[in-house]
Structures are given as C-alpha cells and as structure tokens.
Amino acid sequence: MSCDPVGIEADVGEDVLLPCIVKRGDTISLSNPTVNWQVNWLNGSCEVVNSYYYGQNHPEYQCGQYKGRTEFSSQGLSDGNASLLLKNVTPADFGNYTCHASLYENTPQTLQIVLLMQKKTQ
C-alpha cells in the first residue's frame, strides 16, 4: 500500500517527526514487525536512516550521518505508528525519505514517502 507523499518543513537545528502511519483494519499485529526508514539521494542511491526488526533498532546498518540522531519507538507500533524522530536537522538532511513498514498479518507492506524541506523564510 502506498500513500501520497507528505511534506514536512523544519529549520536547521530543529528536531522533526517524520510521519508513517499504517492502517490496521481488523488484522493481527505481527510478532516481529519491521520498519525501515531510508533516504533517497538525487543520484538514485538509498541510505538506511533507521532499521527496526526482531524487537530492536539496528544502528549497525545506519548511514553515518544519522548515527545518534534518530529515535524510533516501538511503543506505537500496535497502533500503526511507525514515525521516526530526526534530531538536530542539518542542511544535508533535506530530501525524500521512505518508510517501509510491515506491522500486521495478511496486509501489504506500507510505503510512506516523506519530503523533508527547509522552512521558508519571510
């Protein structure tokens, strides 16, 4: 399942929540939900921003520029919340992010695209 891209604005130095909400319906939660956040660079390559599976985050797969700056909580997963907190936004962080989430049995993987943009100055 994919959704329309969501636009989020932030200033350099701010913390920003990148939203990823999975529609649940009447399905049962997976015993091992997976959530992968990636950033898509202009050259077509992807980098892992945050990876969660087997009940924990896996920072060993995380792109270096995001180490120590992401916060993913599994507490909201049963309600379909796979959002990611990105701390201390840098100019290099602006771009397209993709959330791939598998939370429930017999449902397709959710794909959410988030466009992180710098706030417009007046």
Side-chain angles (χ1 to χ4, degrees), residues 34-70:
T34 61
V35 179
N36 286 299
W37 276 94
Q38 294 180 311
V39 62
N40 305 300
W41 300 117
L42 292 175
N43 65 9
S45 68
C46 289
E47 294 281 356
V48 174
V49 177
N50 200 84
S51 189
Y52 176 89
Y53 57 94
Y54 293 132
Q56 62 185 11
N57 287 298
H58 289 271
E60 65 271 22
Y61 299 114
Q62 193 173 40
C63 174
Q65 84 177 53
Y66 295 100
K67 287 207 183 292
R69 295 195 307 121
T70 61

Side-chain angles (χ1 to χ4, degrees), residues 77-121:
L77 288 178
S78 61
D79 297 322
N81 187 350
S83 300
L84 180 71
L85 180 66
L86 177 59
K87 301 176 186 176
N88 192 21
V89 170
T90 70
D93 292 336
F94 297 115
N96 286 318
Y97 291 81
T98 308
C99 170
H100 302 268
S102 296
L103 305 183
Y104 307 114
E105 291 182 4
N106 303 316
T107 58
Q109 182 180 66
T110 293
L111 172 68
Q112 176 65 62
I113 298 170
V114 178
L115 176 58
L116 180 58
M117 302 169 286
Q118 185 157 14
K119 283 183 183 173
K120 309 254 187 306
T121 54

